[in-house]
Amino acid sequence: MSDHTYDVVVIGAGPVGENVADRVVQGGLSVAIVERELVGGECSYWACMPTKALLRSTAALRAARQLSGSREAVTGDLDVTAVLSRRDSFASNWNDDGQVSWLDSVGITLHRGQGRISADRVVEVTHESGVTTTLTARHAVVVATGSAALLPDIPGLLEAKPWSSREAAAARTVPGRLAVIGGGVVASEMATAFAALGSSVTMLARDGVLPLAEPFVGERVTESLREAGVSVRLGAEAGAVKRDDDGTVHITLTSGEDVHADEVLVAIGRTPNTQDVGLDAVGLTPGAWLTVDDTLRVVGKDKAPLDGGWLYAAGDVNRRVLLTHQGKYQARAVGDVIVARAKGEAVDDSPWGRHASTADERAVPQVVFTEPEIASVGLTAAAAEDLGIRTRVVDYDLGAVAGSALQADGYKGHARMVVDEDRKVIVGFTLVGPDVADLLHAATIAVVGEVPIDRLWHAVPAFPTVSEVWLRLLEAYGR
């Protein structure tokens, strides 16, 4: 047993926990971070970085084939071994020495092991050796343990040893046949990636493809997946799963039809990593999502912060937005508000204040790296209507923009902006098309800044770029 005291203790050293700790150190407080796996978390090793590395080679090849001149220079298909090797490099070959070195360089103390809250402001860390270290926080404890893949209660599924997003991101070989249960972001991206790598992919999309996006998004991605050879089964639901001794996976649909595969990927949602962090010690439910207030302090059933307001939750565990960049945004706010409270400084938790995560509700940006890419921020037209906003929806053919024609021969895309007609500001923006990801931030600024439509007329897009779609949308709106 050993005891240590810090100003702040962070449980979870993924990108969210790292950013909380960094902001705390920059504010002049001491901090310890606890990690049971690899420093850098899910995003670095099993999600954002390795999966986008898998998809990037496919996108680059697609881009070359969409241009006359470069198309003729492409004489082969993807080098799967090289793609997987590049993926490995972006996952640092599942070695966290580099990120541990960064922690040391900025003054963040790392404790490896399972962290559990044992009392107010106290975290016990059980190391692999069985030795326990007790960490006491003077000011705050932050739970930033992220989430894990949700496995549905389908008969035989667990026994069949399915892939989750982790196994897909770190796959050493490409299965001949891959079945994907789900139709959301992970399901769509991994169907895209593995089809390009040579798998025969069957996608069981019970609720449709990308059902939370604008309707035209799912339609275009479904069309593209099918063109790539993916069997997209809309409305299909797995009723039972069995893996034979030879490794073949049999999926019986609720319709009675059978699907056969070499591997099955389950991508239907996430569950919080809070089963073993000691929530019961402070009257909370292990395994549950953590509810937070506007400054991300954990609240109890009475919606009030726990005694003293010392416990915070940032990132996936609070279920506000399950995206890495949004978790890091929360982390910056959490780190800063902890420092402010520790020093007795004013807290600004008003909308868009320094210590509030307002964008979680009004301006969440997201890119889906399918083919075509999807880039969106803010509200869909349906979501805005549900909130009672009087809207005008403006659509434009992205392929009709001069810059798009230069970008790729036969460029196909679509743009939509959702305007709050009472305030004359954009509340939602969606782009579908090749390489639209880097166009998104302009829309994010417009939504966050609540830039009036009349002022946007003076933001002149350079010619000939794809960004000229802004002018076309404004012209369509002004008619």
Side-chain angles (χ1 to χ4, degrees):
M1 293 284 291
S2 58
D3 298 337
H4 303 273
T5 299
Y6 303 89
D7 291 320
V8 179
V9 176
V10 180
I11 306 175
V16 176
E18 288 178 315
N19 274 268
V20 171
D22 188 37
R23 300 297 283 201
V24 166
V25 167
Q26 290 184 42
L29 303 184
S30 63
V31 62
I33 197 165
V34 182
E35 178 54 54
R36 66 178 183 178
E37 293 187 297
L38 296 176
V39 174
E42 201 80 9
C43 179
S44 297
Y45 307 103
W46 301 286
C48 315
M49 297 305 290
T51 59
K52 303 315 173 278
L54 284 176
L55 289 156
R56 178 56 194 159
S57 297
T58 299
L61 182 59
R62 180 264 307 155
R65 286 176 170 166
Q66 286 185 327
L67 286 176
S68 179
S70 65
R71 179 187 305 121
E72 290 75 11
V74 178
T75 58
D77 293 322
L78 283 175
D79 184 326
V80 174
T81 300
V83 172
L84 296 181
S85 177
R86 185 171 188 268
R87 181 274 318 271
D88 293 352
S89 71
F90 277 93
S92 301
N93 292 294
W94 292 272
N95 182 295
D96 65 359
D97 287 350
Q99 301 219 38
V100 172
S101 177
W102 175 78
L103 292 180
D104 291 339
S105 72
V106 297
I108 299 170
T109 301
L110 171 64
H111 291 269
R112 288 194 183 271
Q114 177 65 52
R116 300 180 182 88
I117 300 166
S118 59
D120 288 8
R121 297 185 175 84
V122 178
V123 175
E124 290 189 352
V125 183
T126 304
H127 306 281
E128 281 191 2
S129 64
V131 173
T132 299
T133 300
T134 299
L135 310 179
T136 301
R138 297 185 185 93
H139 299 292
V141 172
V142 183
V143 179
T145 48
S147 64
L150 175 66
L151 295 179
D153 187 19
I154 298 174
L157 180 62
L158 291 179
E159 294 79 4
K161 298 181 179 179
W163 279 6
S164 69
S165 52
R166 280 197 167 199
E167 287 76 21
R172 309 310 307 174
T173 59
V174 177
R177 299 168 298 175
L178 175 66
V180 180
I181 299 176
V185 173
V186 173
S188 299
E189 288 186 344
M190 290 300 93
T192 300
F194 278 92
L197 292 171
S199 289
S200 175
V201 179
T202 300
M203 190 173 178
L204 307 177
R206 185 191 67 180
D207 300 321
V209 174
L210 300 172
L212 299 181
E214 296 283 11
F216 61 83
V217 167
E219 293 169 4
R220 296 208 175 216
V221 173
T222 299
E223 178 185 3
S224 176
L225 286 169
R226 286 173 171 163
E227 288 176 353
V230 177
S231 175
V232 182
R233 311 281 187 90
L234 301 177
E237 183 174 5
V241 180
K242 179 182 179 182
R243 186 184 289 271
D244 288 345
D245 292 339
D246 66 1
T248 301
V249 180
H250 302 273
I251 304 170
T252 302
L253 305 184
T254 53
S255 65
E257 183 182 359
D258 286 331
V259 173
H260 308 295
D262 299 302
E263 298 292 349
V264 55
L265 165 63
V266 179
I268 63 163
R270 308 289 292 178
T271 187
N273 286 327
T274 60
Q275 300 89 343
D276 195 21
V277 294
L279 295 185
D280 51 334
V282 290
L284 299 173
T285 304
W289 301 98
L290 295 174
T291 304
V292 295
D293 67 10
D294 290 340
T295 59
L296 305 182
R297 290 182 299 187
V298 176
V299 301
K301 294 180 180 179
D302 59 358
K303 303 301 181 183
L306 299 188
D307 292 344
W310 57 271
L311 184 62
Y312 294 76
D316 283 11
V317 288
N318 63 34
R319 209 181 191 179
R320 288 167 67 100
V321 184
L322 276 66
L323 292 168
T324 296
H325 49 269
Q326 214 68 21
K328 291 164 70 173
Y329 161 72
Q330 292 178 13
R332 295 189 290 272
V334 166
D336 288 352
V337 79
I338 289 172
V339 170
R341 285 174 172 147
K343 294 183 176 181
E345 299 172 350
V347 171
D348 183 2
D349 59 357
S350 60
W352 305 115
R354 179 184 178 120
H355 304 121
S357 298
T358 310
D360 286 348
E361 300 173 355
R362 305 190 193 182
V364 175
Q366 182 173 22
V367 175
V368 184
F369 292 85
T370 47
E371 183 181 333
E373 284 182 351
I374 314 301
S376 63
V377 62
L379 303 172
T380 62
E385 183 178 343
D386 288 344
L387 290 174
I389 299 173
R390 189 172 69 89
T391 63
R392 180 175 171 190
V393 177
V394 183
D395 291 294
Y396 196 80
D397 177 6
L398 193 56
V401 176
S404 301
L406 289 170
Q407 182 85 358
D409 296 342
Y411 189 108
K412 294 181 180 179
H414 191 84
R416 168 174 289 183
M417 70 177 185
V418 181
V419 180
D420 180 333
E421 283 290 83
D422 293 325
R423 296 187 298 137
K424 298 297 182 183
V425 298
I426 297 172
V427 294
F429 202 95
T430 299
L431 294 161
V432 178
D435 307 314
V436 296
D438 289 328
L439 298 175
L440 180 60
H441 200 55
T444 302
I445 292 170
V447 173
V448 171
E450 299 178 332
V451 182
I453 288 288
D454 287 346
R455 179 58 63 88
L456 284 174
W457 275 103
H458 301 281
V460 182
F463 182 84
T465 67
V466 186
S467 292
E468 198 178 17
V469 69
W470 279 94
L471 174 58
R472 302 304 172 216
L473 285 167
L474 290 171
E475 288 175 337
Y477 177 80
R479 290 194 184 114

